[in-house]
């Protein structure tokens, strides 16, 4: 078999494969539920109601989507320039550490929030800068180095929480002291468990979209991603573009950790992120790397997680079904997108 | 310093290094075969998890230990088939598909584990592989306990390295496979199918990765628990680079790497370990992998067509 590009794909060609991918994912979900001995329709229904069925559920989904929008944007920005940043998890924790360092009394109000957000972005950017400089200066592949940084960072956090940053009042638990009130992100509406981190995530998505579509840097990032040799031949400062991309990507990922600490948790513990950095890759891919699409796909992915948690408590189907469904959705979707532009021919 | 020296001349240290190296050798060889044929297989981390789970589950369900190894291989090969289909004939991004396969294989293992054993608090155990003492050879001081008093899977790992080396460099199949990763158009001109060669390499290589995972549950430990692979797959990708895409060198760097790992575990119990936080020791394998990548970055000859999809009739 062989792939043949389609010159002018029709409407059916452009919508058919993605629709089929969604149907196939739902079928896999039903099959997995049946394997667990549960009623597939009931399980699917419980996932949906668990995600958006009540005010509480919907707010929970928005809260869960917040870090995913940030990590999804971080990945989308980097992948667009073909910079394979798989290290959003490490950059996230860098942001979280800064939120605690500056938010537990080191800085007074009213500067603490903006300053700590900026420093957090800087820290995340620095974490990504190391693998990127290794890539542009020495030709070290960034996939593995960014991945390995995740493991190193988790150990650094573990050390900090058991040593210098450990809360003396924490009853021996490895967690940091609580942030002062001025360092906390306020709620969007008083009395509702949704913080301004979500608002900041939406603003970031729009800003990234503007950068990508309205600035020279955005144009250069796309050019480098599409054909690095052509970009170099055209006289673009390719290495500088990659470094700037890294700064933006690392900064966005750091905001995920920063807003989780400053907005939701109020302190840092080693279970702050259940893999938000890795899930950001799925969010970005499902959004086809479009910054505004990231918001939609982060909401979808968060809904799957929150809904599966609720369903699992009720139906007894293991929560790992959520990760399986996302992996299946990702693989079906990348294949479907390919099939909107190519047809499979024999020979 | 004397503490380190005392560790280095103890037989138990080298025995541990060889034991720790065994799963890395299987998985590194698996990745090496894939990359030699031109496919970067980032599914490795998840495929090791599914191997660890499937092999353990089969033995827990009553199969023999070798039966468990076979099941692990088949489970890995199945995910390899998926990885291969999406990246070879369809030519999708090897990065994205690989990460997707890692997530899929990992979550499948966890989901199946929870379905099979819903209410366990402490992971159940199986009777793992026991050490085979090779007569006479195992009595050589230092070398004997390290090399000739290991479980059969460790011997299999070294045997596998020799077999892979012979096939890759001494057979027409090996030549065709390496050519598929260097100059696929030339392979096609010979009347061979690049797609078939790459698919075969990814399927077989993924099987080996899964056996590496199964080593953890069937030989090193006796139960399956979450997060047990813990980045070993990513380290193996670094080891392939560090071993310059050659099976012999890959074994050597895997053992060297494992020796450092065994050393850091032992150093934690020395006066050094009392001063330095244990996290620093646990970090060493990852830091070492990054250093290895830096050292080798300019020197190694990367397979020329690595990560380049091949579409017949396209230039």
């Amino acid at each position: 078999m062989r792939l043949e590009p389609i010159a002018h794909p029709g409407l059916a060609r452009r919508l058919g494969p993605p629709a089929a991918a969604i149907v196939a994912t739902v079928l896999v979900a039903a099959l997995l539920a049946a394997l667990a001995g549960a009623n597939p329709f009931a399980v699917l229904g419980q996932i949906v109601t668990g995600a958006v069925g009540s005010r509480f559920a919907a707010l929970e989904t928005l809260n869960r989507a917040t870090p995913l929008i940030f990590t999804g944007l971080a990945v989308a920005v980097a992948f667009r320039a073909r910079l394979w940043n798989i290290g959003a998890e490490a950059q996230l924790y860098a942001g979280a550490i800064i939120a605690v360092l500056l938010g537990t009394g080191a800085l007074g109000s009213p500067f603490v929030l903006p300053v700590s957000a900026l420093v957090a972005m800087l820290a995340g950017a620095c974490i990504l800068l190391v693998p990127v400089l290794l890539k542009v200066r020495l030709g070290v592949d960034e996939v593995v180095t960014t991945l390995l940084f995740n493991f190193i960072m988790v150990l650094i956090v573990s050390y900090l929480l058991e040593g210098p940053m450990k809360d003396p009042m924490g009853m021996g638990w490895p967690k940091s002291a609580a942030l002062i009130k001025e360092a906390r992100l306020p709620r969007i509406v008083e009395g509702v468990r949704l913080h301004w981190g979500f608002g900041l995530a939406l603003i970031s998505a729009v800003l990234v979209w503007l950068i990508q579509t309205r600035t020279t840097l955005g144009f250069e990032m796309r050019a480098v991603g599409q054909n690095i040799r052509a970009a170099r031949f055209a006289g673009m400062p390719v290495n500088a573009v990659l470094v700037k991309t890294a700064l933006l990507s690392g900064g966005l990922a750091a905001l995920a950790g920063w807003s989780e600490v400053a907005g939701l948790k109020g302190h840092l513990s080693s279970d702050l992120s259940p893999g938000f950095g890795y899930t950001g890759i799925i969010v970005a891919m499902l959004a086809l790397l479009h910054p505004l699409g990231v918001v939609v796909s982060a909401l979808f992915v968060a809904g799957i997680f929150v809904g599966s948690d609720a369903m699992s408590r009720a139906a007894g189907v293991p929560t790992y079904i959520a990760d399986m469904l996302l992996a299946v959705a990702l693989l079906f979707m990348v294949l479907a997108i390919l099939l909107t532009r190519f047809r499979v021919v024999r020979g | 310093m004397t503490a380190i020296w005392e560790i280095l001349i103890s037989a138990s240290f080298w025995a541990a290094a060889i034991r720790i190296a065994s799963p890395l050798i299987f998985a590194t060889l698996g990745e090496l075969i894939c990359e030699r044929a031109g496919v970067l297989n980032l599914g490795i981390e998840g495929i090791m998890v599914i191997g660890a789970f499937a092999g353990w589950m089969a033995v827990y369900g009553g199969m023999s230990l070798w039966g468990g190894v076979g099941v692990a291989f088949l489970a890995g090969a199945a995910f390899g088939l998926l990885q291969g289909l999406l990246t070879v004939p369809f030519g999708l991004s090897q990065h994205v598909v690989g990460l997707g396969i890692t997530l899929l294989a990992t979550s499948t293992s966890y989901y199946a584990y929870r379905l099979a054993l819903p209410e366990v608090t402490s992971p159940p155990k199986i009777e793992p592989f026991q050490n085979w003492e090779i007569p006479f050879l195992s009595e050589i001081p230092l070398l004997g306990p390290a090399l000739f008093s290991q479980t059969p899977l460790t011997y299999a790992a070294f045997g596998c390295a020799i077999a892979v080396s012979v096939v890759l460099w001494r057979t027409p199949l090996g030549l065709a496979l390496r050519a598929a990763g260097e100059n696929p158009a030339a392979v096609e001109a010979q009347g061979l199918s690049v797609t078939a060669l790459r698919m075969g390499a990814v399927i077989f290589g993924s099987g080996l990765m899964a056996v590496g995972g199964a080593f953890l549950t069937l030989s090193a430990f006796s139960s399956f628990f979450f997060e047990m692979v813990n980045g070993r797959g990513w380290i193996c990708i670094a080891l392939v680079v560090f071993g310059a895409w050659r099976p012999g060198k890959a074994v050597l760097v895997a053992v060297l790497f494992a020796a450092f790992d065994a050393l850091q575990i032992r150093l934690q119990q020395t006066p050094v370990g009392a001063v330095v936080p244990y996290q620093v020791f646990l970090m060493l394998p990852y830091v070492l992998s990054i250093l290895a990548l830096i050292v080798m970055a300019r020197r190694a000859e990367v397979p020329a067509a690595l990560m380049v999809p091949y579409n017949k009739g396209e230039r």
Side-chain angles (χ1 to χ4, degrees), chain B residues 23 47-56 68-69 72-73 129 153 208-221:
Chain B
I47 290 171
M48 288 184 81
V49 178
I50 197 89
F53 167 73
W56 179 86
V69 173
F73 183 90
F129 278 109
L153 263 189
L208 280 188
M209 295 168 191
V211 172
F215 183 93
L216 298 174
T217 46
L218 301 183
S219 188
F221 309 98

Side-chain angles (χ1 to χ4, degrees), chain A residues 32 137 158 162 282 320, chain B residues 103 111 226 278-279 298 311:
Chain A
L32 289 174
R137 292 266 167 242
S158 154
E162 286 174 24
I282 297 174
Y320 295 105
Chain B
L103 180 65
Y111 189 72
F226 294 173
Y278 71 92
Q279 288 94 345
R298 286 270 185 242
N311 198 5

Side-chain angles (χ1 to χ4, degrees), chain B residues 84-130:
Chain B
L85 270 179
L86 292 173
T87 53
V88 180
F90 284 108
L92 289 167
S93 158
Q94 295 177 8
H95 289 107
V96 174
V97 171
L99 294 167
I101 294 283
T102 281
L103 180 65
L104 183 63
T106 308
S107 54
T108 302
S109 311
Y110 294 176
Y111 189 72
Y113 183 81
R114 274 279 167 260
L115 279 192
L117 306 160
E119 296 301 333
V120 293
T121 41
S122 66
K125 290 183 178 216
I126 53 145
E127 191 60 42
F129 278 109
Q130 301 299 313

Side-chain angles (χ1 to χ4, degrees), chain A residues 73-196:
Chain A
L73 286 173
V75 173
V77 162
F79 279 25
R80 179 66 82 192
R82 292 215 181 212
L83 180 71
W84 302 104
N85 174 15
I86 323 286
E89 191 80 1
Q91 296 137 28
L92 176 152
Y93 273 113
I97 291 171
I98 297 297
V100 173
L101 274 182
L102 299 183
T104 44
L107 278 182
S109 61
F111 304 110
V112 53
L113 266 176
V115 170
S116 86
L118 282 177
V119 177
M121 288 185 77
L122 210 61
C126 287
I127 298 275
L128 182 54
L129 205 56
V130 178
V132 171
L133 284 178
L134 287 176
K135 174 194 168 84
V136 297
R137 292 266 167 242
L138 300 170
V140 182
D141 182 56
E142 77 277 21
V143 173
V144 190
T145 45
T146 51
L147 260 169
L148 292 170
F149 265 86
N150 293 340
F151 290 86
I152 295 173
M153 199 63 187
V154 165
L155 285 165
I156 290 176
V157 169
S158 154
Y159 162 69
L160 288 175
L161 292 179
E162 286 174 24
M165 275 170 71
K166 185 173 178 173
D167 181 11
M169 316 297 277
M171 319 280 276
W173 287 102
K175 66 183 193 75
S176 78
L179 263 57
I180 56 172
K181 197 168 166 293
E182 292 78 10
R184 296 289 306 266
L185 276 164
R187 304 267 169 101
I188 291 180
V189 179
E190 203 45 55
V192 173
R193 213 175 91 99
L194 183 68
H195 57 87
W196 265 107

Side-chain angles (χ1 to χ4, degrees), chain B residues 15-268:
Chain B
I18 297 291
R19 189 170 62 239
I20 295 170
S22 305
L24 302 179
I25 291 173
F26 277 120
T28 305
L29 288 172
E31 182 69 35
L32 186 146
I33 294 172
C34 296
E35 292 193 18
R36 271 289 175 186
V39 180
L40 172 75
N41 191 345
L42 289 185
I44 184 168
E45 179 82 7
I47 290 171
M48 288 184 81
V49 178
I50 197 89
F53 167 73
W56 179 86
M57 200 66 222
V59 176
Y60 185 71
M63 264 191 161
S64 71
L65 285 165
W66 287 110
V69 173
V71 168
F73 183 90
L74 290 178
F79 279 92
L81 176 67
L82 189 58
Q83 162 97 27
L85 270 179
L86 292 173
T87 53
V88 180
F90 284 108
L92 289 167
S93 158
Q94 295 177 8
H95 289 107
V96 174
V97 171
L99 294 167
I101 294 283
T102 281
L103 180 65
L104 183 63
T106 308
S107 54
T108 302
S109 311
Y110 294 176
Y111 189 72
Y113 183 81
R114 274 279 167 260
L115 279 192
L117 306 160
E119 296 301 333
V120 293
T121 41
S122 66
K125 290 183 178 216
I126 53 145
E127 191 60 42
F129 278 109
Q130 301 299 313
N131 285 359
W132 280 3
E133 313 272 336
I134 309 273
F136 307 116
L137 289 177
S138 62
E139 283 153 39
I140 306 171
L142 199 63
L143 221 56
L147 290 178
F148 303 110
S149 175
Q150 295 279 1
T151 70
L153 263 189
T154 294
Y155 303 131
F158 284 88
C160 202
I162 296 169
V164 168
S165 181
V166 169
V167 170
L168 276 181
W169 267 273
R170 296 274 183 277
T171 65
L173 174 67
L175 179 65
L177 208 81
R178 284 184 291 129
E182 297 285 353
N183 190 346
V187 175
E188 206 76 41
Q190 292 279 314
L192 297 168
S193 162
V194 174
T195 308
L197 283 165
R198 286 186 170 177
M199 286 293 292
V202 174
I203 293 170
F204 183 79
S206 300
L208 280 188
M209 295 168 191
V211 172
F215 183 93
L216 298 174
T217 46
L218 301 183
S219 188
F221 309 98
S222 49
S223 22
F224 174 80
F225 44 92
F226 294 173
E227 319 271 321
M228 79 184 305
V229 173
N230 202 15
R232 281 185 178 82
W234 311 131
I235 286 171
C236 288
I237 291 186
L239 289 179
V240 172
V241 180
F242 199 31
W245 286 269
R246 290 176 175 274
K249 277 190 189 167
V251 170
L252 215 63
V253 295
V255 171
L256 184 73
F257 185 88
F260 267 100
D261 206 16
L263 183 67
Q264 63 88 2
I265 297 167
R266 279 159 180 74
L267 277 181
Q268 286 185 42

